[in-house]
Amino acid sequence: MSLRILHSRLRGLTPLLLLIGIVIACAPRAAPTAAMELTTPMQAKATPTPGATPTERARWIPTPTPGPTPTPTPQPLVPPDPDRAAELTRKGEELFLKSDLAGAEDAFIDAIAADPEYLPAHIGLTRVYLYQSQYWQQALAAAQAAQALAPDDPTVLAYLAWAQQQAHHFDEARETALRAVKLGPDNALAHAALADVLISVYEVDAALEHARRAVELDDQSAVVWFILGYAEASYHNWDAAAEAYDRAIELEPTFFAWRLARARHELNTTGDIVAAREIAQPALELQPDHAWTLFFLADLAIETRDWEAAESACQRLFALDQPHTPYPDGYMCMATAMFLQERFREAEHYQTLAEERATPERRDVGLMRMRLYIENDECQKARELAQDWLDARPYSVSAMRMIGLSYLCEEDYEQAAAYFRRAFEALPRSVMGARLLAVAYARDGKASEAMAALNKVRSFAREDPTYYQALYEVQIALGNRREALRAAQRWQILRPYDTRPRVNIALLHLMLDNVAAARGAAESALADGEQSATLYAVLGEAFHRQGDLEKAEEYLRRAVERNANHYLARDFLASFYISQGQCEEALPHLRWLKERTKDEERVSNLARAIKLCEVRTGTRPTPAPDEALSDDAAEAAARERVIAAGAEPRRVEMAEAFDGWALVVAYSTSLDPDSEDFIELERRLAFDLARLIPRISSQPDMLVLISGSGERPRHLILIPAWAAILWADGDLSDEEFERTWRRQEAPVVKEQGDETP
């Protein structure tokens, strides 16, 4: 996310906002089926939107022009040669285990040509396509061809279930896998396939049972150990998952997928990019252009904020999208990379490309669209899209979460919590689920419920960075800044290469007035590649507080240019301009903030600041016709008020004074100038005459009031028109209004018509 972030400074002008971001993970899992219904959300910093117009020109990365993709059509031998088919199938299996997928494909195709009814060749070809996500259609066709030969074979049905899963036909895949287990209760692959499919439909408990059963039935099968690792990881059993992945590698050391799975597990659980890359290195060499390899490289680059490398990896995925291999995932990868950089127009561009290439079953492609809607405050649109998903797949936790986020977007915390609670009940060991529910409670001021949600996962999530990210978000929403700081620091320890916790640490130091520490943390993140609007906003505000106005404005402007809809950046920049008396520059940001603020008190404060700036810049309202006073009428009304107060008018006129247009009123009285009565009369007349200022059509800049005793002037009071207008409208109290007056010793007062002093 990356984010709208809670903060409570800026002289009471800032509403308290916290937007929890969910961004789809850039990479699908390296598994027999790379596509699955379960999509794990993860936070981004950022905030908004497809409709935003960034100052920075959008950079479209060119997409390839699809060329023809040959679809293998085996030419059967006449007569069939089963022995030749068996020999070629063995060759295909050997090549497959050496990660030579292209060679294995050729061998299996030739085997089928040698004997179209040789079942192991069809299964082998299915496996080859299953391990290449873009060949999901070919995988399904190959599995169906195998089923036509052996409709009740549990192994065939297991591979068919995986192919259906890869095509996102989850309900069909579940039925097929259940049938496979029913027909082959002692078939390890049937149990493994069922476990995998059950994870896709969020039946994690049952999935883990079947995965463990698969290993019991065949502990020499690398794929069943891999599925066990995936199931254990889904259950948050990190060590058991790592052991299962390691066992798969031991059994098939030259097969790339197991190493990528283990490397991704290392990255997800420790954040150690060096160790993760070392584990993956053989796979990177064996399959440098494979989709799972490129996704892994993109995620490594994102972890270190190496955006050029991330974009390069995503761009290489574009080539996998061809007429016979529709593959939206490369565009999804690029959309995610752009979103995380707050380049929302470009994210929108690649998201559109992904949607154009996706089949209706690819509901997961819509996640980024929902995210863009939410970031653009189009909450209802996001909810409609997510609800359609949930209607089609009532088990979809991702859809439930997105509906919850759409309500969070509208600050309907009760409804948000209801959907997050439903999602968490479906996956009770999900730290992400606990996080979302806890934040909804915290934003609703329900501290005990928020902590209770996190406590449900605390026993097994104490080394999970997502837990501490959640704790940080909850504590900051509850106003517990020091507790939030400790949580963010722990998050940073567990994710040393991640700049997001450092940005949040910098923000918290700023909120705690530890300006030097805030600047240090922000500059550290900047040096490590962080480019978010939040970072620039925090750094700009730190420079502002340290008095470096040039750098303050530079970074605050950069923050808004980076993300035109970033609340924190707009707030800090408005505050900066107000503090410098640059109301004209502050006004657009104040108006933007007011439009997007829902808290009534904060809206009132922003409206007050806007009116103040409008008055000070001369864009004040014209008096109503029935109340408007000409200059002559204003002079007459002022004279009447002086007389009514028991004083003698010495000079009353509209005139140039103190480099502005003013209502000048001089009076004298017989009261002792050192008496309380003299001061009280002076004060009463100042308030009374100030009421005329908003009504004068010529819009004076000030009221100049000169009090005197006998023939001697005593005090000169300058009252700014903008303050008189705000006070008359009830936007300033008497005390606040009086503090805007400037009182000094009076000069000699000339007679009416003489040159103004």
Side-chain angles (χ1 to χ4, degrees):
M1 145 309 263
S2 201
L3 288 183
R4 280 185 195 162
I5 301 179
L6 174 69
H7 86 117
S8 60
R9 194 185 165 270
L10 294 181
R11 304 164 183 82
L13 297 182
T14 309
L16 305 181
L17 293 177
L18 173 68
L19 183 61
I20 299 303
I22 290 187
V23 179
I24 56 175
C26 193
R29 63 186 178 89
T33 55
M36 63 182 209
E37 214 283 335
L38 176 61
T39 304
T40 303
M42 68 186 208
Q43 164 138 18
K45 288 188 289 269
T47 29
T49 83
T53 304
T55 302
E56 186 177 20
R57 180 173 167 269
R59 274 193 306 112
W60 305 138
I61 294 175
T63 55
T65 301
T69 299
T71 301
T73 304
Q75 296 298 320
L77 296 180
V78 181
D81 188 344
D83 293 337
R84 176 65 175 160
E87 179 185 351
L88 288 167
T89 298
R90 286 193 295 272
K91 178 183 176 182
E93 290 170 350
E94 291 173 1
L95 292 170
F96 179 82
L97 293 179
K98 292 178 181 178
S99 300
D100 183 355
L101 302 185
E105 179 188 18
D106 290 342
F108 289 129
I109 289 172
D110 288 343
I112 293 171
D115 185 354
E117 296 187 1
Y118 190 68
L119 183 61
H122 289 278
I123 293 175
L125 187 59
T126 302
R127 289 176 69 197
V128 168
Y129 292 140
L130 284 173
Y131 285 87
Q132 298 177 89
S133 307
Q134 71 274 25
Y135 285 103
W136 60 271
Q137 290 177 314
Q138 288 82 353
L140 189 59
Q144 289 169 340
Q147 185 195 23
L149 296 173
D152 295 326
D153 186 299
T155 298
V156 169
L157 291 173
Y159 281 107
L160 177 60
W162 270 319
Q164 290 167 332
Q165 181 196 37
Q166 182 157 280
H168 284 242
H169 300 162
F170 297 110
D171 295 324
E172 294 176 24
R174 186 177 183 276
E175 292 177 7
T176 301
L178 285 170
R179 184 163 173 256
V181 170
K182 183 178 180 181
L183 291 170
D186 295 329
N187 185 296
L189 282 178
H191 284 278
L194 180 56
D196 199 7
V197 172
L198 289 176
I199 292 172
S200 296
V201 295
Y202 305 97
E203 297 180 39
V204 178
D205 290 348
L208 186 56
E209 291 178 11
H210 284 283
R212 289 173 175 170
R213 178 58 179 156
V215 169
E216 290 173 2
L217 291 168
D218 186 358
D219 63 1
Q220 296 303 301
S221 169
V223 69
V224 300
W225 278 106
F226 165 77
I227 295 297
L228 177 61
Y230 182 55
E232 295 284 8
S234 299
Y235 217 74
H236 231 80
N237 296 333
W238 300 129
D239 291 342
E243 291 172 6
Y245 291 139
D246 288 339
R247 182 63 178 140
I249 294 172
E250 290 173 11
L251 290 168
E252 295 177 357
T254 58
F255 190 57
F256 78 106
W258 312 148
R259 291 190 178 274
L260 281 177
R262 181 64 177 88
R264 181 168 292 285
H265 180 75
E266 188 72 17
L267 180 64
N268 291 343
T269 56
T270 69
D272 189 337
I273 60 173
V274 175
R277 191 175 187 100
E278 287 178 355
I279 293 168
Q281 191 57 40
L284 304 184
E285 295 171 1
L286 287 166
Q287 284 287 339
D289 296 316
H290 194 282
W292 301 341
T293 299
L294 296 174
F295 273 119
F296 177 73
L297 292 175
D299 281 353
L300 280 182
I302 288 171
E303 187 78 11
T304 57
R305 295 303 188 258
D306 185 348
W307 297 114
E308 185 177 351
E311 292 172 23
S312 175
C314 293
Q315 186 176 8
R316 288 168 64 189
L317 286 163
F318 295 170
L320 303 181
D321 178 38
Q322 298 292 332
H324 296 283
T325 57
Y327 190 65
D329 302 68
Y331 308 122
M332 293 170 63
C333 177
M334 189 66 81
T336 300
M338 296 301 173
F339 186 93
L340 292 174
Q341 295 178 74
E342 298 172 294
R343 291 159 59 180
F344 300 110
R345 287 181 62 202
E346 290 160 283
E348 161 79 16
H349 172 72
Y350 291 108
Q351 174 62 21
T352 299
L353 290 177
E355 290 166 348
E356 289 173 355
R357 295 298 289 156
T359 61
E361 290 78 18
R362 287 296 304 270
R363 297 276 180 172
D364 60 310
V365 173
L367 272 170
M368 179 56 73
R369 175 63 63 192
M370 295 176 223
R371 188 71 179 106
L372 288 166
Y373 279 145
I374 287 174
E375 295 302 337
N376 200 33
D377 289 329
E378 296 179 280
C379 316
Q380 181 65 33
K381 287 185 178 180
R383 183 157 56 250
E384 289 171 359
L385 199 56
Q387 187 61 58
D388 182 63
W389 186 358
L390 191 61
D391 291 342
R393 296 177 185 160
Y395 49 78
S396 175
V397 169
S398 293
M400 296 175 204
R401 288 173 175 171
M402 292 309 300
I403 293 174
L405 278 173
S406 74
Y407 281 116
L408 202 63
C409 166
E410 294 176 338
E411 299 185 24
D412 186 341
Y413 305 127
E414 186 175 344
Q415 284 287 359
Y419 277 92
F420 291 148
R421 188 164 51 247
R422 182 175 164 189
F424 189 37
E425 288 169 356
L427 289 176
R429 291 179 67 86
S430 168
V431 180
M432 177 59 69
R435 172 192 167 202
L436 292 171
L437 180 58
V439 168
Y441 282 138
R443 291 190 61 188
D444 203 16
K446 298 178 179 179
S448 59
E449 289 90 341
M451 294 310 299
L454 290 182
N455 286 339
K456 289 182 179 179
V457 298
R458 184 170 179 265
S459 63
F460 56 84
R462 299 191 68 171
E463 298 301 316
D464 188 333
T466 302
Y467 172 78
Y468 292 97
Q469 181 180 358
L471 191 59
Y472 154 77
E473 291 162 345
V474 165
Q475 296 292 9
I476 200 171
L478 295 173
N480 303 327
R481 297 174 184 175
R482 295 194 182 278
E483 290 83 351
L485 179 59
R486 284 193 287 270
Q489 289 168 336
R490 181 61 180 162
W491 175 16
Q492 180 69 81
I493 290 170
L494 293 172
R495 268 293 187 274
Y497 297 98
D498 193 345
T499 55
R500 292 175 300 154
R502 256 177 288 169
V503 172
N504 290 314
I505 288 169
L507 175 63
L508 284 163
H509 278 307
L510 199 61
M511 295 169 71
L512 292 166
D513 287 325
N514 302 328
V515 181
R519 177 178 163 185
E523 288 180 330
S524 170
L526 182 67
D528 283 348
E530 181 62 40
Q531 301 173 3
S532 67
T534 300
L535 171 71
Y536 293 145
V538 169
L539 197 52
E541 178 65 10
F543 280 123
H544 181 197
R545 296 195 200 179
Q546 289 182 329
D548 190 336
L549 302 183
E550 184 177 348
K551 284 189 176 179
E553 184 175 15
E554 175 192 344
Y555 279 103
L556 291 173
R557 287 177 63 88
R558 189 183 297 182
V560 174
E561 288 169 1
R562 185 77 179 177
N563 184 346
N565 288 342
H566 196 284
Y567 197 97
L568 186 70
R570 291 271 195 172
D571 208 345
F572 280 155
L573 189 55
S575 174
F576 172 81
Y577 284 134
I578 288 174
S579 72
Q580 301 306 303
Q582 297 174 266
C583 264
E584 189 170 346
E585 288 79 4
L587 272 171
H589 304 293
L590 291 170
R591 290 172 180 142
W592 185 95
L593 291 165
K594 181 174 177 287
E595 289 175 2
R596 287 157 178 80
T597 301
K598 296 179 182 178
D599 180 83
E600 292 182 3
E601 182 180 353
R602 302 300 182 184
V603 169
S604 176
N605 287 336
L606 286 165
R608 177 178 172 183
I610 290 168
K611 182 179 289 186
L612 184 152
C613 270
E614 287 177 339
V615 170
R616 295 187 71 169
T617 56
T619 55
R620 64 206 216 196
T622 303
D626 58 339
E627 294 185 356
L629 297 173
S630 66
D631 287 356
D632 290 342
E635 292 170 359
R639 189 174 289 105
E640 289 174 3
R641 295 187 183 207
V642 171
I643 294 171
E648 178 186 352
R650 299 294 298 272
R651 180 180 182 188
V652 179
E653 66 175 336
M654 300 295 301
E656 294 288 339
F658 299 98
D659 298 321
W661 185 243
L663 170 60
V664 181
V665 177
Y667 72 90
S668 65
T669 177
S670 59
L671 296 173
D672 181 350
D674 296 323
S675 68
E676 291 185 5
D677 289 343
F678 182 90
I679 298 300
E680 178 56 32
L681 174 63
E682 185 180 71
R683 184 172 178 272
R684 190 169 69 250
L685 270 173
F687 278 112
D688 199 18
L689 293 169
R691 294 187 185 279
L692 298 174
I693 297 299
R695 299 173 54 194
I696 301 174
S697 298
S698 62
Q699 296 191 343
D701 300 302
M702 70 194 82
L703 166 65
V704 178
L705 180 63
I706 305 171
S707 63
S709 178
E711 297 298 320
R712 182 181 176 187
R714 304 300 298 184
H715 301 136
L716 181 146
I717 303 173
L718 299 179
I719 300 176
W722 63 263
I725 293 169
L726 293 176
W727 170 71
D729 286 349
D731 294 310
L732 292 178
S733 66
D734 289 355
E735 292 77 11
E736 291 171 327
F737 178 41
E738 195 166 358
R739 285 199 293 270
T740 69
W741 303 353
R742 197 175 85 200
R743 181 183 274 107
Q744 62 188 54
E745 291 298 315
V748 176
V749 180
K750 306 258 180 103
E751 294 298 325
Q752 184 84 26
D754 289 350
E755 184 181 351
T756 303

